[in-house]
Amino acid sequence: MNGPNDKFLLANGVGIPCLGFGTYKTPDGAEGAAAVRAALAEGYRHIDTAAFYGNETAVGQGIRESGLPREEIFVTTKVWNTDRGYEKARASVLESLKRLGLDYIDLCLIHWPAAPHQYPETWEQLNLGTWRALTELYQEGKLRAIGVSNFKPHHLRALMDTEVPPMADQIEVHPGQTQEETVAYCQSHGILVEAWSPMGRGALLEHPAVTVLAEKYRRTPAQICIRWCLEKGILPLPKSVTPARIAENTGVFSFQLAPEDVVALDTVPPTARSHDPDEVTF
């Protein structure tokens, strides 16, 4: 990967830019649109949003105001938990298209799995119903690719035997939260792993294991975390509304981490995990 527009290939052959711009907690309105414009001006071509973020309108505005051709920008959104099941999920995606002001979405994900602790009798059926809606919209051309987010292997298995298996799984991955079982399962089944919160919600920016490497490579701690993801074949999704940091986060393509430094980050003790999908209450 030599730049933010170099691509991973999804299982269906669709290319996805290897560095995404995350928009969680990016506000709707002018500030959000400005952040998206700034990211695109700095070379990002992959914007990640969600219905739950409440900023799809701003994301769409920023894309249009960038002046870039639509086909150059990869847009991801997600179906929220209250819209699980076939009918609600289908309606949710169509509403996302309207808010974004787009004719198609490049990648649509189920945001969180219905899990056994919340739906002991129906969790697999709920996920399959949601997945059926995404599959139909994919086959209709409204979605170029489909996947999931926060799914562990036991959540994924029921979807793997469907007509169109998941192409991506967006999970929390960073040093101290390597999720080795899920990453290995995905990578062995042709599912691209995307990393939300690649800096551990900021907790890793002052972690000694990261700061010592930042000094060694003369890079920022954030750049070390982002590069670690790329070294592992994982697509990072850093987020910021600060123009200087948006630009900084793209500066990860002119260096590589030595194998021993990747291992050092792999072995950071568990830290900064925010939500386990088998325990969440939302």
Side-chain angles (χ1 to χ4, degrees):
M1 300 299 178
N2 298 310
N5 200 29
D6 285 358
K7 295 177 174 65
F8 289 104
L9 283 183
L10 297 172
N12 66 345
V14 169
I16 178 171
C18 67
L19 181 66
F21 180 68
T23 63
Y24 178 56
K25 292 191 175 179
T26 298
D28 207 14
E31 184 180 356
V36 171
R37 287 198 312 273
L40 294 170
E42 289 295 339
Y44 286 89
R45 293 296 181 269
H46 176 181
I47 310 296
D48 183 273
T49 184
F52 178 72
Y53 298 171
N55 58 19
E56 288 174 313
T57 301
V59 167
Q61 179 183 344
I63 289 169
R64 289 188 295 277
E65 291 176 350
S66 73
L68 292 167
R70 167 67 183 96
E71 61 270 18
E72 291 187 11
I73 304 171
F74 193 100
V75 181
T76 298
T77 195
K78 310 175 191 76
V79 175
W80 185 240
N81 302 350
T82 52
D83 292 315
R84 292 185 180 117
Y86 171 77
E87 292 182 0
K88 286 185 177 180
R90 183 179 176 91
S92 171
V93 176
L94 296 177
E95 286 299 315
S96 287
L97 278 164
K98 290 179 183 178
R99 287 190 292 267
L100 288 160
L102 301 177
D103 295 326
Y104 65 90
I105 292 164
D106 296 278
L107 175 62
C108 189
L109 309 176
I110 302 175
H111 206 148
W112 289 86
H117 72 293
Q118 290 179 302
Y119 305 96
E121 303 296 331
T122 61
W123 65 278
E124 285 188 313
Q125 291 307 311
L126 270 174
N127 289 331
L128 284 166
T130 308
W131 190 247
R132 182 162 65 92
L134 268 58
T135 299
E136 283 190 4
L137 290 162
Y138 168 69
Q139 293 170 333
E140 292 168 12
K142 293 181 173 62
L143 308 174
R144 294 182 67 221
I146 53 178
V148 297
S149 181
N150 300 299
F151 275 53
K152 293 181 176 181
H154 61 277
H155 304 127
L156 280 162
R157 288 188 185 103
L159 305 185
M160 297 306 297
D161 294 329
T162 61
E163 185 178 1
V164 182
M167 302 169 194
D169 190 1
Q170 187 180 126
I171 59 177
E172 181 180 9
V173 179
H174 50 73
Q177 191 52 244
T178 55
Q179 297 223 51
E180 292 179 4
E181 180 186 6
T182 300
V183 171
Y185 181 90
C186 288
Q187 293 184 338
S188 67
H189 287 81
I191 301 170
L192 176 68
V193 176
E194 298 183 293
W196 61 264
S197 193
M199 282 84 85
R201 297 198 174 192
L204 292 169
L205 300 181
E206 297 181 359
H207 194 288
V210 176
T211 57
V212 70
L213 293 181
E215 184 175 348
K216 173 182 176 179
Y217 289 93
R218 297 184 180 180
R219 301 287 172 169
T220 67
Q223 289 170 333
I224 296 298
C225 293
I226 294 167
R227 186 68 216 183
W228 174 83
C229 289
L230 292 170
E231 300 284 1
K232 296 176 75 65
I234 295 170
L235 193 158
L237 297 162
K239 64 183 181 65
S240 179
V241 295
T242 306
R245 290 178 181 168
I246 291 172
E248 172 192 303
N249 290 342
T250 66
V252 297
F253 297 99
S254 58
F255 77 104
Q256 291 181 300
L257 297 175
E260 62 269 23
D261 293 329
V262 174
V263 171
L265 293 174
D266 288 348
T267 55
V268 169
T271 184
R273 180 147 197 184
S274 51
H275 299 296
D276 184 328
D278 283 320
E279 297 177 2
V280 297
T281 57
F282 49 80

